[in-house]
Amino acid sequence: MTRAEIYNRIVGILVKSFELDPNDIRPESRLFEDLDLDSIDAIDMFVELHEVTGRRIDVQVARKIRTVEDIVKLVESELASANVPPTQE
Amino acid sequence: MAFPPLDEILPHRPPMLLLDALTAAEAESVTCRAMVRAGAPFVAGGRVSALIALEYFAQAVAALFAYKSRGGPGPFRGLLLGARDLELAVSHLRVGDVLDVHCREQWASGPVAQFQCILSRGDERLATGAVTVLRGDPAEFAAASPAAGAGSDLSSGTPGSDLSSGTSSSPRLDGRDGRDHSEPAP
């Protein structure tokens, strides 16, 4: 997946899971302050990201996530280290 | 394979032990049997709101954790953090219904796990949904959660609150807020 594809996939997850308006989501959007997610939402998001990457994201890594761009970078790095084709929806 | 009685592995006790038996357990999945009985919690007029499925799910997951850690040190704490995509095919369960509660882990990281759950009566699927659970001390999780550093904490979330909306025709589950301990404190 290209970075743009990853970004679009993440926006899709955010819109579907949390009923966000796609127009409100930007790479620099902060998950908790700007998009109003809470820690329970974050868990749901990591469950969805598991579908994308096929890998379980470590809680300690997840703690560092603040923005949508952070998720993109995390997924990129997970996909690179997984070195397997991502699962498709 | 014979499984231990639930009151040997769970700290839950009647009337709040809603499950009757552990009927299958593997590393990441569990099935429990339950019968709806007159006089049980939340049962009124011979029926109970199907929202009770959420508690069945939580107790079945607790049973799996307890079964897997049997022989270890006593009961552990746990928390039902939230539910997602809860779908009820019926509004109520009836006294006498014999139910299977099946939960399968679909994701886990550290102390947090999400289980996909199915409540069925024979071949009929009555409720499905995902429950997110914490195994361990809630205070430790709050400190470690992604939101902790953002000035948020678990108390700002309202897990389960959406479950009570749109159910005005059903008996409420006694004002419970979805934060029940899936495995009560010792």
Side-chain angles (χ1 to χ4, degrees):
Chain A
M1 270 193 288
T2 65
R3 171 167 277 232
E5 286 170 337
I6 292 172
Y7 176 78
N8 288 335
R9 187 79 180 268
I10 290 166
V11 169
I13 288 171
L14 291 169
V15 168
K16 169 174 143 292
S17 300
F18 310 115
E19 297 172 358
L20 296 175
D21 183 337
N23 296 318
D24 291 341
I25 303 173
R26 311 227 180 296
E28 64 273 21
S29 299
R30 293 169 299 173
L31 301 177
F32 301 109
E33 296 89 338
D34 300 330
L35 301 181
D36 206 25
L37 268 58
D38 62 26
S39 55
I40 309 290
D41 295 328
I43 292 166
D44 288 327
M45 189 182 66
F46 287 115
V47 174
E48 295 285 339
L49 290 180
H50 174 231
E51 300 288 316
V52 178
T53 65
R55 289 166 61 88
R56 293 184 173 188
I57 293 162
D58 185 81
V59 165
Q60 297 304 320
V61 175
R63 285 185 66 178
K64 302 189 176 96
I65 297 288
R66 291 289 179 271
T67 66
V68 174
E69 179 69 15
D70 289 344
I71 308 177
V72 174
K73 287 178 183 164
L74 174 65
V75 169
E76 259 188 338
S77 125
E78 291 287 318
L79 287 176
S81 46
N83 198 23
V84 293
T87 55
Q88 297 297 318
E89 274 185 324
Chain B
M1 182 170 176
F3 292 100
L6 287 174
D7 63 4
E8 282 186 10
I9 58 173
L10 283 180
H12 300 67
R13 289 295 175 267
M16 274 315 296
L17 176 57
L18 299 183
L19 304 176
D20 293 337
L22 180 60
T23 53
E26 295 174 25
E28 296 183 346
S29 72
V30 64
T31 307
C32 291
R33 177 67 54 89
M35 188 168 93
V36 181
R37 294 186 171 82
F42 316 115
V43 174
R47 62 183 200 167
V48 60
S49 166
L51 284 171
I52 197 86
L54 199 52
E55 181 66 19
Y56 285 133
F57 294 157
Q59 292 196 10
V61 171
L64 177 62
F65 285 156
Y67 179 69
K68 285 165 66 175
S69 65
R70 67 194 183 285
F76 45 83
R77 294 194 68 169
L79 207 61
L80 173 58
L81 295 177
R84 184 162 273 280
D85 301 327
L86 183 70
E87 293 188 10
L88 306 176
V90 294
S91 64
H92 292 82
L93 311 175
R94 298 184 298 263
V95 167
D97 278 351
V98 176
L99 308 165
D100 286 310
V101 187
H102 179 72
C103 303
R104 177 173 294 278
E105 182 186 297
Q106 60 179 4
W107 180 87
S109 181
V112 182
Q114 190 170 94
F115 284 76
Q116 190 65 42
C117 304
I118 302 168
L119 178 69
S120 52
R121 178 175 57 205
D123 294 333
E124 187 184 1
R125 197 170 275 211
L126 304 180
T128 59
V131 295
T132 304
V133 297
L134 169 75
R135 181 180 164 168
D137 188 326
E140 288 174 21
F141 171 72
S145 79
S152 175
D153 64 43
L154 281 179
S155 64
S156 66
T158 53
S161 61
D162 53 335
L163 299 176
S164 56
S165 62
T167 57
S168 54
S169 62
S170 307
R172 293 287 301 275
L173 289 178
D174 201 24
R176 288 139 54 85
D177 63 2
R179 288 168 185 266
D180 311 76
H181 289 249
S182 52
E183 305 117 40

